[in-house]
């Protein structure tokens, strides 16, 4: 493990639809490559939570968090001036050497896309959400096309989508993979350590087992 761990102060915890954008002082941490992740240590919780970076304004690191469990709820309840330990950046992010990028995001999976779009100099994006309330998070990616269930992101994929970079729930990623060979897909798995030691994040992909924390989370689908 080479990534640094630092105690970072909370700048703000802003509601974004049902999500929270947790903004932390950056300290000496590097924002890394979009799609890489950080381990956020929630107050009172044993296991840290893996989070991809959402926004990276000067001096800050921003994480979009869905308060679905005790750890994520504790992170969303942080207040200005609180501080938490953060480790990162970790893992393998998106390959930015793409010519015609199209970003696809589903639900909380839109998390890494604002920073990714910024790194690519702005790009096309399609975002899918389960409700209008969740779709309020689309404001983090101005100009993106937005669909709300029952419509799906893959329903409005152009026939020639270009270089697809996607993050979202597994069924969405499987549907993207079926439509777009060679797409870059950011997968999710429970992670305890974040640097290859616990094997808690092992998944099977195309007949081989990978540790998503060091082999991913972004995997390029075999074209
Ligand atoms: Fe521990 Fe991947 S999270 S090996």
């Amino acid at each position: 493990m080479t990534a640094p761990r630092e105690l970072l102060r909370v700048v703000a915890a802003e509601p974004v639809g049902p999500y929270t954008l947790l903004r932390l002082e950056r300290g000496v941490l590097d924002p890394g490559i979009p799609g890489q992740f950080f381990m956020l240590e929630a107050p009172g919780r044993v296991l840290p939570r893996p989070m991809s970076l959402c926004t990276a304004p000067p001096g800050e690191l921003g994480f979009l968090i869905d308060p679905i469990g005790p750890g994520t709820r504790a992170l969303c309840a942080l207040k200005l001036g609180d501080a938490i330990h953060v480790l990162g950046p970790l893992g393998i992010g998106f390959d930015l050497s793409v010519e015609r990028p199209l970003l696809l995001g589903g639900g909380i999976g839109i998390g890494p896309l604002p920073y990714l779009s910024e790194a690519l100099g702005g790009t096309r994006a399609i975002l899918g959400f389960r409700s209008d309330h969740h779709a309020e998070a689309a404001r983090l990616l101005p100009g993106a096309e937005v669909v709300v269930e029952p419509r799906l992101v893959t329903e409005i994929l152009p026939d020639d989508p270009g270089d697809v970079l996607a993050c979202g729930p597994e069924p969405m990623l499987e549907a993207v993979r079926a439509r777009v060979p060679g797409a870059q897909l950011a997968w999710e798995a429970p992670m305890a350590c974040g640097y290859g030691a616990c094997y808690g994040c092992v998944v099977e992909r195309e007949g081989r087992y990978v540790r998503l924390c060091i082999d991913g989370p972004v995997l390029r689908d075999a074209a």
Side-chain angles (χ1 to χ4, degrees):
M1 178 183 63
T2 54
R5 173 176 176 268
E6 191 175 355
L7 186 65
L8 302 181
R9 289 206 167 280
V10 174
V11 175
E14 297 172 357
V16 182
Y19 310 117
T20 294
L21 181 65
L22 180 64
R23 293 168 42 201
L24 304 174
E25 283 181 358
R26 186 181 292 188
V28 299
L29 297 192
D30 190 291
I33 296 166
Q36 286 190 294
F37 67 95
F38 293 77
M39 296 299 270
L40 275 57
E41 298 180 24
R45 307 302 303 175
V46 175
L47 291 180
R49 311 297 308 184
M51 296 283 162
S52 292
L53 191 62
C54 178
T55 57
E60 283 189 20
L61 302 174
F63 300 92
L64 190 65
I65 302 175
D66 193 3
I68 52 168
T72 46
R73 280 197 291 274
L75 289 170
C76 292
L78 289 167
K79 300 275 181 286
L80 173 70
D82 289 343
I84 58 167
H85 279 102
V86 177
L87 170 74
L90 296 161
I92 294 176
F94 289 100
D95 177 356
L96 304 182
S97 58
V98 287
E99 289 180 0
R100 289 193 304 129
L102 172 61
L103 312 190
L104 304 180
I108 189 62
I110 75 154
L113 302 191
Y115 180 41
L116 175 59
S117 177
E118 183 189 323
L120 291 168
T123 183
R124 303 170 297 153
I126 305 173
L127 309 179
F129 296 95
R130 83 172 78 123
S131 74
D132 289 334
H133 186 39
H134 290 81
E136 288 174 35
R139 74 171 166 80
L140 296 171
L141 209 55
E145 276 188 82
V146 177
V147 294
V148 174
E149 285 185 17
R151 295 189 74 206
L152 301 174
V153 162
T154 42
E155 287 176 23
I156 62 167
L157 252 189
D159 289 338
D160 176 16
D163 300 300
V164 168
L165 303 91
C167 185
E170 200 156 319
M172 180 194 121
L173 295 186
E174 292 291 1
V176 172
R177 165 196 237 176
R179 283 278 306 277
V180 189
Q184 296 186 49
L185 308 174
W187 300 87
E188 265 198 25
M191 291 185 185
C193 72
Y195 47 84
C198 73
Y199 287 75
C201 63
V202 172
V203 295
E204 191 197 343
R205 289 286 173 268
E206 296 172 11
R208 69 187 182 108
Y209 289 95
V210 297
R211 279 172 286 176
L212 275 184
C213 68
I214 55 173
D215 298 316
V218 178
L219 301 176
R220 187 183 277 270
D221 184 43

